[in-house]
Amino acid sequence: MDQATAAVRQQYEAFPFPDLPFGALADLTPGPSSYRFGHYYCTHRLPATQAVRILDAGCGTGFSTLKLRQANPDAEIVAVDLSEASLVRAQARLAAAGYGSDAVTFLQADLQHLSDLGTPFDYIHCTGVLHHLPTPQRGLNQLKSRLKPDGVMCLMLYSGPGRALIREVQQLLRQLWDGQDLSEGLMVCRTFWAGLPTEHPYKQDYQRQKKVLADNFGAEFADSDAFLVDTYLQVCEQALYLPDVFALLAVEQLCFLRFLDEADWAAQRFFPGLPDYVAALSLPARYALVDRLRTDRNYTFYASPQAFERPALTWLPDAIPEPSPLIRMSAEQAILENGLGQQLPLTEVSRAFWKAIDGQQSWRQICFALAPSLGFSEVDTEVGLRGLMQALLEHYFVLQH
Ligand SMILES: C[S@@+](CC[C@H](N)C(=O)[O-])C[C@H]1O[C@@H](n2cnc3c(N)ncnc32)[C@H](O)[C@@H]1O
């Protein structure tokens, strides 16, 4: 094992992550946990079977593994991590939730050098891991080689721009502490945060982040040693900007499918006054632009060896779009459910769109009905109609962040 990976392992042996209590929080943010949801979100088709193979790559203390187990009852699940202490916690988490020891196959392994994991996987879930490898490309290569040709991956990687302030703090802490003894590092880190004036932008950023974490995962997690080590004392972390991430995918011939928080990537959020300039850019160039202004700390997206066709190119104005089996209509609105029967928040446009799809109206009729509320005035021309159809298709499953 190379020196950097050995250091990462040592860190997670001492401070397994996430340091979350068993049980109570298991069902939080389940979107990417459901293979059925991910497949439909990306391909607009339900998978042929739910008896699939799933890999949780870098499973940590099993928070994600438990969610995968719950969301995919018919799947065979393999979970891999470098750190033995994390795997022990993960197994205990599954047991505490009432699962037997055969519910998940846990393996200690380095993602950069995977041994035989059996037949290829339909779904690989890898969140918060690849940016901690000295060679993310090598890890991604290994994952791709374990994925079926029509399989789907859900990756969460740190956002380079979104973590710029965190990197500054990491670097200044490194000037105070030698990077060896993590207990000393923790003392330096806590003392630094306690002493930094409240109005300092780094402190404000830290407090904001802490509040978000406390609201979502509890105050104990937000103040845990494991969180501080993982975030500010991290021994190996790559600063990847979105074009770097796309380059990693391109080398492995993986197609980018969709962001989980696609609504966040709409350029008009940041450039409402420059629509023509933005429209002239390719989609990756537009994403790269948004990347520089987006403050979210992570990228969460789906990728696959297969470039699943978006139906925009094949659907005709007189075709009748079918209701989605994952969308439930309540009296007032469309509700998207994931594999756990939980509701995922759709944007307003998505909700209006799904409400209009009743299996009887054609695209043309739906476009006419929705055009005024979306500010489209020229749906009576073929070009105008196609523009609106495209806009609606882009809102197919756009989740609110
Ligand atoms: C930040 S935690 C994320 C845990 C989990 N995926 C989640 O989202 O909650 C990173 C995990 O990646 C694991 N890891 C880091 N490098 C690895 C490698 N080369 N091979 C396997 N696991 C690795 C660490 O041991 C740690 O448990």
Side-chain angles (χ1 to χ4, degrees):
M1 185 180 292
D2 62 89
Q3 229 178 348
T5 306
V8 172
R9 178 173 164 186
Q10 210 178 357
Q11 177 196 312
Y12 286 105
E13 292 298 6
F15 295 94
F17 187 92
D19 187 10
L20 283 168
F22 294 169
L25 294 160
D27 291 345
L28 205 73
T29 58
S33 313
S34 164
Y35 166 70
R36 188 167 182 258
F37 167 76
H39 192 278
Y40 197 80
Y41 183 67
C42 296
T43 69
H44 301 170
R45 279 184 290 273
L46 280 179
T49 173
Q50 290 183 64
V52 292
R53 295 196 83 225
I54 297 177
L55 174 66
D56 192 7
C59 63
T61 61
F63 185 63
S64 51
T65 322
L66 177 56
K67 291 193 290 177
L68 285 165
R69 182 63 288 165
Q70 291 174 323
N72 307 280
D74 300 327
E76 183 190 335
I77 298 180
V78 178
V80 167
D81 202 281
L82 192 59
S83 139
E84 194 183 344
S86 300
L87 289 166
V88 168
R89 289 275 294 278
Q91 275 161 316
R93 188 185 299 282
L94 268 285
Y99 288 101
S101 58
D102 57 351
V104 172
T105 305
F106 285 103
L107 295 169
Q108 187 177 12
D110 178 355
L111 290 189
Q112 299 156 113
H113 305 279
L114 285 176
S115 57
D116 183 16
L117 297 178
T119 51
F121 292 94
D122 300 271
Y123 187 49
I124 295 182
H125 179 271
C126 183
T127 57
V129 182
L130 289 179
H131 44 254
H132 295 313
L133 308 187
T135 52
Q137 192 76 59
R138 169 105 195 140
L140 188 62
N141 173 275
Q142 292 283 288
L143 295 184
K144 151 91 190 294
S145 68
R146 266 55 176 195
L147 188 66
K148 281 188 181 168
D150 61 349
V152 173
M153 268 184 202
C154 179
L155 300 176
M156 186 281 268
L157 291 166
Y158 284 174
S159 151
R163 293 198 175 237
L165 289 188
I166 292 179
R167 273 200 309 285
E168 289 296 326
V169 175
Q170 287 172 342
Q171 281 162 19
L172 71 84
L173 290 178
R174 274 303 171 92
Q175 281 186 264
L176 297 167
W177 154 75
D178 66 4
Q180 298 301 314
D181 178 353
L182 285 169
S183 317
E184 186 195 346
L186 269 170
M187 182 276 291
V188 171
C189 181
R190 284 193 184 280
T191 310
F192 165 71
W193 282 128
L196 194 67
T198 315
E199 62 279 10
H200 193 281
Y202 292 1
K203 179 83 164 251
Q204 302 225 336
D205 182 67
Y206 171 63
Q207 301 284 28
R208 241 191 331 266
Q209 185 190 15
K210 212 170 152 182
K211 180 166 179 344
V212 171
L213 290 173
D215 289 348
N216 284 301
F217 299 101
E220 248 179 70
F221 172 75
D223 195 44
S224 65
D225 285 350
F227 166 70
L228 288 175
V229 168
D230 192 62
T231 307
Y232 297 106
L233 306 173
Q234 182 59 245
V235 300
C236 179
E237 187 174 306
Q238 316 290 341
L240 300 168
Y241 281 49
L242 194 65
D244 306 321
V245 174
F246 282 177
L248 288 174
L249 296 178
V251 170
E252 304 309 329
Q253 297 183 318
L254 280 164
C255 305
F256 172 84
L257 297 178
R258 294 189 84 168
F259 287 111
L260 185 68
D261 54 348
E262 200 162 298
D264 256 23
W265 290 89
Q268 60 265 34
R269 275 183 73 211
F270 299 109
F271 304 95
L274 296 166
D276 299 342
Y277 290 84
V278 169
L281 299 172
S282 67
L283 190 60
R286 228 178 293 166
Y287 283 154
L289 200 63
V290 172
D291 187 34
R292 295 181 175 279
L293 293 172
R294 196 174 151 271
T295 52
D296 201 283
R297 290 166 204 274
N298 305 323
Y299 308 125
T300 307
F301 60 91
Y302 293 92
S304 171
Q306 185 169 325
F308 290 101
E309 282 274 316
R310 299 289 284 260
L313 302 174
T314 50
W315 285 16
L316 300 167
D318 291 314
I320 297 175
E322 284 181 25
S324 160
L326 296 184
I327 299 281
R328 186 166 59 75
M329 296 304 305
S330 76
E332 281 308 307
Q333 56 175 7
I335 292 168
L336 172 60
E337 291 188 344
N338 73 346
L340 296 177
Q342 286 159 326
Q343 299 174 6
L344 302 173
L346 290 166
T347 60
E348 211 175 308
V349 180
S350 291
R351 282 202 300 271
F353 174 43
W354 284 109
K355 197 160 176 265
I357 294 187
D358 56 5
Q360 292 175 10
Q361 296 194 86
S362 67
W363 273 108
R364 194 185 298 279
Q365 290 165 314
I366 291 171
C367 286
F368 273 123
L370 293 185
S373 60
L374 296 180
F376 274 75
S377 54
E378 293 181 23
V379 281
D380 45 344
T381 69
E382 201 58 26
V383 174
L385 181 62
R386 289 202 73 81
L388 182 50
M389 267 174 68
Q390 184 63 47
L392 288 176
L393 281 163
E394 293 306 329
H395 276 90
Y396 222 82
F397 259 156
V398 182
L399 300 182
Q400 215 163 39
H401 196 45

